[in-house]
Amino acid sequence: MSTTTPSTTRLTVAQALVRFLAAQYTERDGERRRLIGATWGIFGHGNVAGLGQALVEYADDMPYLQGRNEQAMVHAAVGYARQSNRLSTHAVTTSIGPGATNLVTGAALATVNRLPVLLLPGDYFATRTAGPLLQQLEHPSEADVSVNDTLRPVSRLFDRITRPEALIPAALNAMRVLADPADTGAVTLALPQDVQAEAYDWPEEFFAERVWRVRRPAPDPMELAEAVRAIRGARRPLVVAGGGIHHSEAEQALKALVDATGIPVACTQAGKGSLRFDHPGDLGGIGHTGTAVCDDIARTADLVIGVGTRYTDFTTASNTLFRTPGVRFVNLNIAAFDAHKLSARTVVCDARAGLTALTEALEGHRVSEAYEAEYRAGKERWEQVVEAAYTPADEHAAPTQTQVLGALDAVVGDEDVVINAAGSLPGDLHKLWRARSPRQYHLEYGYSCMGYEIPAGIGVQQAAPGTAVWSLVGDGTYLMMPTEIVTAVQEGLPVNLVLLQNHGYASIGGLSESVGGERFGTAYRYRAADGTFSGAPLPVDLAANAASLGMDVVRARTVKELREALATARASDRPTCVYVETDPAPSAPPAEAWWDVPVAETASRPAAVEARAAYEREAAGRRRHL
């Protein structure tokens, strides 16, 4: 009896990992894509001799992207993954120590938003032949702890590869999580620097092309039947469209349901654009940053149909929005964890498959003409509010923030992508932006991370070459993370940066005032001798800073100049910054629903006392949906 020895290849762990990653694919609806499209890296102590050498060794198989900040590299990978409908992402490698811990914020953002990214931080010697190592945390009672353990709570999967052969199951498990629409997020494989460089005889099967099929599970027949009964019995149903609509590419399935039944659609920040803004069933944003018509309908809805949403506190107005006695919920979600929220009837399935099944099962059912007429009239009234916010009284005056959005609205094409994440802009955009296509509205508001916008713009352009990308940032966000401008210049990516200068934190300033904080510490101004902040704004020229990093810069002082500057940026093939100092006066419609930010229960200052009284009035409207 003869046996055949399995074919093996002797490679280092890092080389084997890079070669393995280059052979991984996803497939959905017959479309095949690389799961790991490229690897971002900043090399230093802990990865330069391992993954750094491996990426040189297999440069033809694995594209390399050079970043400037570890957190920003994760943001770029996440922007790429979202634009790719979670079917493809990037890997990120860092050194040990501060390079690794800089990943934590980006990892949290990815996991909170259910977006895949692979993190490959260097780690300390597994053999412990050298120690204490440069940048090593010496824990007095847990000797196997490294700073990479900070990534455990913000990763969907964490593993440390302490022996070469452990890479095989760990790498396969990592791909499983990244490709699983119900379980995805940040995946961390911590790589001790000595193990990265260690050679091993790898079975050739490890490097064979592998396809991870992204499932579209159909709804359970009993769950579907219960949902259909609930919808047929409702007088005022409302769909809440979340990010799962986009991830599933279910926009046309949602439109078919709305066209057939007349049920209106409210959108979360992640779900905006699920219907085109001018569809008669699109009511716009919901919740604290929602539109008046949407929140009015939500307050009187007797059935809420959540599709691909995780019901954040902004969406539910901290559980004060859905007020109808006996209001019930039907949640269609690929993740059972989210489907069960608000004590809902669950339909655990793919969004597109579930919406298609609902439409077929609801054949002949339609909401009343009176209900349709009501929400359509409210939609028309809100459109007048948008026009008023967008239209300047004087084109030769400095624009307000909402007039900046109006000027951009007049310039963008249907397929342009508008990116934002934090500050006062998300609220204004959620209320006012007219999303023309499914991917135009790119808001990261699960983690609301300042500094996301510029690197995310790079990721979006890598996922959709030739697409005009607009990264909208205020001065506070810009100061957090402008570094990837250099990357955009290096890669020749014509990201358009719209930089709004209002000399402080507009969003938190307003929130501070509303909760009795008196805008303390929210402006960029000189500190007086008594410790207060007053006087003229600081002489900081952010436009000059952007130019120093390699961007073309166009300064706009008026609404008219702003329109011209935006048109110039869109026509350019270079990274371009449109810089505008805005009129700081509030210009957006006020919040239509509450948001729970606890206020000091006792205080001596009148502002805080008044804010507490207002808080208690609003908090009385909270309810548990059981």
Side-chain angles (χ1 to χ4, degrees):
M1 180 176 178
S2 63
T3 59
T4 302
T5 303
S7 177
T8 61
T9 301
R10 190 164 182 79
L11 300 171
T12 69
V13 168
Q15 292 164 356
L17 178 57
V18 170
R19 188 171 163 189
F20 169 84
L21 294 178
Q24 306 304 302
Y25 294 85
T26 61
E27 182 178 280
R28 186 171 70 182
D29 304 330
E31 179 185 0
R32 183 174 170 181
R33 304 184 61 159
R34 279 187 62 151
L35 177 51
I36 307 298
T39 296
W40 287 89
I42 297 176
F43 298 116
H45 178 223
N47 72 335
V48 66
L51 278 166
Q53 190 281 327
L55 287 166
V56 172
E57 189 88 13
Y58 292 103
D60 292 339
D61 300 317
M62 175 60 68
Y64 166 70
L65 299 166
Q66 183 178 6
R68 270 74 195 172
N69 177 285
E70 291 87 357
Q71 177 182 322
M73 293 194 297
V74 186
H75 292 338
V78 167
Y80 177 92
R82 178 171 173 173
Q83 186 69 22
S84 303
N85 296 320
R86 302 196 299 193
L87 299 173
S88 183
T89 188
H90 287 160
V92 178
T93 177
T94 72
S95 61
I96 64 176
T101 52
N102 279 351
L103 294 172
V104 173
T105 297
L109 181 148
T111 298
V112 163
N113 286 285
R114 319 292 206 266
L115 292 165
V117 63
L118 177 61
L119 309 180
L120 305 172
D123 211 329
Y124 314 145
F125 282 84
T127 54
R128 305 189 188 181
T129 54
L133 201 65
L134 175 67
Q135 301 173 326
Q136 182 173 350
L137 174 71
E138 292 187 280
H139 198 284
S141 60
E142 297 181 59
D144 63 339
V145 167
S146 84
V147 295
N148 286 349
D149 288 279
T150 59
L151 287 158
R152 288 182 183 272
V154 293
S155 298
R156 292 296 289 177
L157 172 68
F158 180 97
D159 204 347
R160 179 175 282 115
I161 314 303
T162 56
R163 290 182 59 85
E165 58 267 37
L167 178 65
I168 295 175
L172 292 170
N173 200 23
M175 299 304 104
R176 175 192 63 80
V177 173
L178 290 173
D180 188 333
D183 200 33
T184 196
V187 170
T188 300
L189 298 181
L191 300 168
Q193 63 172 313
D194 54 343
V195 176
Q196 284 184 53
E198 189 173 344
Y200 183 75
D201 292 323
W202 304 92
E204 276 297 326
E205 291 86 351
F206 186 52
F207 307 120
E209 288 190 0
R210 192 179 300 267
V211 177
W212 302 85
R213 287 185 171 81
V214 180
R215 299 182 296 275
R216 285 196 183 277
D220 175 83
M222 291 186 65
E223 288 190 334
L224 180 66
E226 287 186 2
V228 169
R229 281 195 295 272
I231 295 170
R232 286 187 180 275
R235 294 182 303 104
R236 300 176 66 82
L238 174 68
V239 170
V240 175
I245 296 281
H246 295 310
H247 300 325
S248 176
E249 299 176 277
E251 296 88 0
Q252 287 304 310
L254 176 65
K255 181 178 182 297
L257 175 71
V258 177
D259 289 344
T261 64
I263 301 173
V265 174
C267 60
T268 68
Q269 284 280 14
K272 192 173 174 76
S274 294
L275 284 183
R276 188 180 155 96
F277 80 97
D278 52 5
H279 188 285
D282 178 57
L283 304 187
I286 188 172
H288 178 65
T289 55
T291 68
V293 58
C294 192
D295 286 350
D296 285 346
I297 293 296
R299 290 185 183 97
T300 60
D302 58 354
L303 181 70
V304 179
I305 307 162
V307 184
T309 178
R310 60 193 186 92
Y311 288 111
T312 68
D313 62 338
F314 261 50
T315 296
T316 67
S318 300
N319 287 323
T320 64
L321 185 58
F322 305 113
R323 298 183 180 180
T324 297
V327 62
R328 302 305 295 169
F329 297 83
V330 169
N331 289 341
L332 192 162
N333 204 297
I334 200 166
F337 178 83
D338 291 314
H340 280 274
K341 290 177 177 175
L342 302 178
S343 299
R345 292 180 175 89
T346 63
V347 186
V348 180
C349 65
D350 169 72
R352 193 167 86 182
L355 287 169
T356 300
L358 273 180
T359 303
E360 293 172 355
L362 288 166
E363 184 177 2
H365 175 75
R366 193 168 184 88
V367 301
S368 69
E369 292 182 1
Y371 185 42
E372 281 195 77
E374 177 188 346
Y375 70 68
R376 290 188 182 199
K379 179 179 174 65
E380 290 178 5
R381 290 193 299 272
W382 185 256
E383 186 58 31
Q384 294 171 7
V385 173
V386 176
E387 280 297 324
Y390 277 4
T391 306
D394 181 2
E395 289 204 341
H396 300 286
T400 64
Q401 182 162 286
T402 57
Q403 289 165 6
V404 171
L405 300 184
L408 185 61
D409 176 80
V411 170
V412 299
D414 282 7
E415 301 302 321
D416 289 18
V417 177
V418 175
I419 301 174
N420 190 237
S424 58
L425 274 167
D428 293 359
L429 286 159
H430 199 206
K431 289 187 186 81
L432 303 173
W433 187 256
R434 297 161 167 162
R436 297 154 163 92
S437 60
R439 280 294 170 206
Q440 182 170 84
Y441 189 85
H442 185 121
L443 262 282
E444 187 291 296
Y445 214 51
Y447 207 50
S448 186
C449 186
M450 296 174 72
Y452 172 80
E453 298 90 340
I454 297 172
I458 292 171
V460 168
Q461 284 218 319
Q462 288 168 328
T467 300
V469 176
W470 303 87
S471 293
L472 276 57
V473 301
D475 49 350
T477 293
Y478 179 86
L479 286 168
M480 286 281 183
M481 196 170 295
T483 52
E484 298 316 303
I485 287 174
V486 178
T487 303
V489 172
Q490 180 180 33
E491 298 293 331
L493 297 170
V495 175
N496 296 312
L497 172 62
V498 182
L499 176 52
L500 284 66
Q501 171 64 279
N502 54 29
H503 301 288
Y505 296 114
S507 173
I508 297 303
L511 180 62
S512 171
E513 186 173 28
S514 71
V515 299
E518 303 178 45
R519 293 185 177 265
F520 179 77
T522 63
Y524 296 150
R525 296 181 183 274
Y526 289 102
R527 185 189 291 271
D530 62 359
T532 61
F533 293 89
S534 60
L538 298 176
V540 176
D541 190 341
L542 299 183
N545 179 262
S548 75
L549 296 176
M551 269 196 149
D552 292 346
V553 175
V554 185
R555 297 176 185 256
R557 294 167 298 176
T558 68
V559 175
K560 183 176 183 296
E561 290 179 359
L562 176 61
R563 286 202 192 98
E564 294 168 352
L566 292 171
T568 297
R570 192 173 190 280
S572 176
D573 61 357
R574 277 189 39 78
T576 303
C577 170
V578 175
Y579 173 86
V580 58
E581 295 211 23
T582 57
D583 180 340
S587 57
E592 298 291 338
W594 188 57
W595 182 40
D596 190 347
V597 179
V599 177
E601 192 169 359
T602 181
S604 60
R605 296 179 71 86
V609 173
E610 293 172 10
R612 179 67 192 189
Y615 175 83
E616 291 176 352
R617 287 194 300 272
E618 295 288 353
R622 275 188 306 223
R623 62 180 295 188
R624 296 283 187 185
H625 297 285
L626 299 171

